[in-house]
Amino acid sequence: MKRHMVLLLLFSLLLVPVSANSAIGMILETGLDAATKTYSHPVIVDGDTVHLGGRSHKELKQTFQAYDFSTLAFDERLDLYQSTQLSVTWPAFKNLLAGFGSGSKLQGHLSGELFGIVSDWTTISIVGVGLGIMATEYFVTYLFSYNTADPSYSPSELPIAVMIVGGGAFALGRIIQAIIPISYGLRYNRTLRGGLGVEKDMTDSWSVGLAMQPAMQEGLSSLPAVQLTAMATVALR
């Protein structure tokens, strides 16, 4: 029994530094990904090659401030929107279930990814601290207590409280992580639609024309009559 408690204590004490090292590694990896990977799409505007989108919502707004995409054909702008818009549903679920900002990473949202990494590792470390305190108490009790077989032993309230706080913070962090991709994706796509001049429901991809033309028709009195005939045309722009 003592051997098991020693192993549990060592595992608990090593959990925090290992978690910290892993968190630092993931943060460094995120920075390298942001520096080397690209989420932009090249498009030629006024003879210049412009990378639409990028690694941030701010960069997208700067792109639309510098270039006028209305010079492109609507079909091309519509294709650009469909190919560059951000997914919202799956990143939100991935952040909620897998955590560590993995859903925000799919969107290229660096801040959301870093929040997920720091939040998950911090709260997991808090739970580990609670487990470490509990293991230490149990370990010391069995080593130095005169009545080592006392079945009435129970851990103090401190480690339990620490684990409850850590677990609650972990759950809250996952909920916030699930909200971040939704908020970021909606803002990003709204800016993208505005810059490209594309309506959300794509209604501006259809043009409706209404024309009136006279038609000769003989009435009951055998006199020619003029009848206005309405002709509606629907075309895809």
Side-chain angles (χ1 to χ4, degrees):
M1 185 67 175
K2 292 182 180 180
R3 181 181 301 176
H4 294 164
M5 293 308 303
V6 171
L7 292 177
L8 178 60
L9 175 62
L10 292 176
F11 175 78
S12 301
L13 294 177
L14 289 174
L15 178 61
V16 174
V18 169
S19 298
N21 291 334
S22 299
I24 294 174
M26 293 183 69
I27 292 175
L28 292 176
E29 180 184 357
T30 300
L32 292 174
D33 288 345
T36 57
K37 292 183 180 180
T38 177
Y39 300 90
S40 60
H41 293 257
V43 58
I44 298 178
V45 180
D46 296 332
D48 296 332
T49 300
V50 180
H51 292 273
L52 182 62
R55 291 181 292 271
S56 68
H57 180 231
K58 180 180 179 180
E59 182 177 320
L60 179 68
K61 292 193 294 185
Q62 292 174 346
T63 300
F64 285 132
Q65 290 174 356
Y67 296 93
D68 182 13
F69 283 78
S70 63
T71 58
L72 302 177
F74 179 80
D75 290 342
E76 186 175 357
R77 287 183 280 127
L78 182 60
D79 291 339
L80 279 173
Y81 173 74
Q82 292 175 344
S83 61
T84 58
Q85 64 176 326
L86 294 183
S87 175
V88 173
T89 304
W90 173 239
F93 273 107
K94 190 170 184 180
N95 264 3
L96 179 64
L97 300 178
F100 298 98
S102 55
S104 295
K105 185 176 182 179
L106 294 178
Q107 294 181 325
H109 186 202
L110 180 60
S111 299
E113 182 182 356
L114 291 177
F115 172 82
I117 293 173
V118 174
S119 174
D120 279 354
W121 279 119
T122 300
T123 53
I124 289 174
S125 297
I126 293 175
V127 175
V129 169
L131 286 173
I133 296 174
M134 181 181 294
T136 302
E137 288 184 352
Y138 196 69
F139 178 71
V140 172
T141 299
Y142 265 82
L143 277 184
F144 302 104
S145 175
Y146 290 104
N147 187 12
T148 57
D150 184 6
S152 63
Y153 166 78
S154 61
S156 64
E157 296 181 357
L158 177 61
I160 296 178
V162 172
M163 287 189 290
I164 291 176
V165 171
F170 178 82
L172 179 61
R174 284 296 177 91
I175 293 175
I176 296 175
Q177 286 189 64
I179 296 175
I180 289 176
I182 298 176
S183 175
Y184 180 80
L186 292 178
R187 287 188 292 111
Y188 188 98
N189 291 339
R190 182 170 60 250
T191 301
L192 186 62
R193 288 193 303 270
L196 292 175
V198 179
E199 294 294 335
K200 183 176 182 180
D201 56 1
M202 304 303 175
T203 54
D204 61 349
S205 63
W206 296 86
S207 62
V208 180
L210 182 63
M212 306 294 291
Q213 68 178 18
M216 301 299 296
Q217 183 179 16
E218 292 190 4
L220 297 176
S221 59
S222 298
L223 294 177
V226 178
Q227 178 182 359
L228 292 178
T229 303
M231 299 182 62
T233 60
V234 179
L236 180 63
R237 291 196 299 171

